[in-house]
Amino acid sequence: MRFLRHFASRPAADASSWPQATAWQAVDLGRLGLSADQAQRAAWWVTGDRPPRRGAMAFAALLAWQPARGWRLTGWLLAHPPLSWAAVVVYALVARYRRHLPGGTAACSVSPRINRPKIRSSPTSARR
């Protein structure tokens, strides 16, 4: 998260269009078309003119937004196959083990799901 905050908080020539890193708990998720479950599972890149991007594609969009050409190129490459396939796998690993990475805190841990009903098959459906 520190890495993302660093990039998202860098000054830009037009600060009004620069992305703002915000914790999902402080955002009106309904207005963005996201659920709390979606926000807990991944980072999101949300702009008014495009559909929301999730996980690795959100990270690629953040890099593509940077002023330096090298970062923009890296973001573009991560958003397109075959690198996008690797980016999705790496993002999943980082998200899963983020609490163990340098700078990780207890806040990085994903709490167990609460109030989620368990789905069990009924005895009659198992016989069919």
Side-chain angles (χ1 to χ4, degrees):
M1 186 67 174
R2 236 185 245 176
F3 181 74
L4 290 177
R5 281 193 185 141
H6 166 75
F7 275 106
S9 64
R10 292 179 65 189
D14 181 9
S16 64
S17 67
W18 195 248
Q20 179 181 359
T22 307
W24 70 268
Q25 296 92 337
V27 175
D28 180 4
L29 295 173
R31 186 178 61 82
L32 299 175
L34 299 173
S35 69
D37 186 52
Q38 289 174 313
Q40 282 182 325
R41 290 179 164 266
W44 288 83
W45 177 268
V46 182
T47 60
D49 59 342
R50 293 186 174 202
R53 296 182 195 174
R54 176 187 187 277
M57 295 305 102
F59 184 68
L62 176 64
L63 291 176
W65 193 271
Q66 298 305 305
R69 280 187 230 153
W71 289 120
R72 287 196 314 259
L73 175 62
T74 302
W76 186 88
L77 290 170
L78 287 175
H80 294 85
L83 289 182
S84 63
W85 304 331
V88 168
V89 171
V90 170
Y91 180 87
L93 288 171
V94 169
R96 183 173 184 176
Y97 297 107
R98 64 184 173 228
R99 67 186 176 281
H100 300 297
L101 297 174
T105 65
C108 294
S109 296
V110 176
S111 58
R113 301 199 184 277
I114 301 170
N115 297 331
R116 193 164 238 199
K118 292 183 180 179
I119 299 173
R120 295 184 182 161
S121 60
S122 66
T124 56
S125 65
R127 283 186 242 147
R128 290 183 191 173

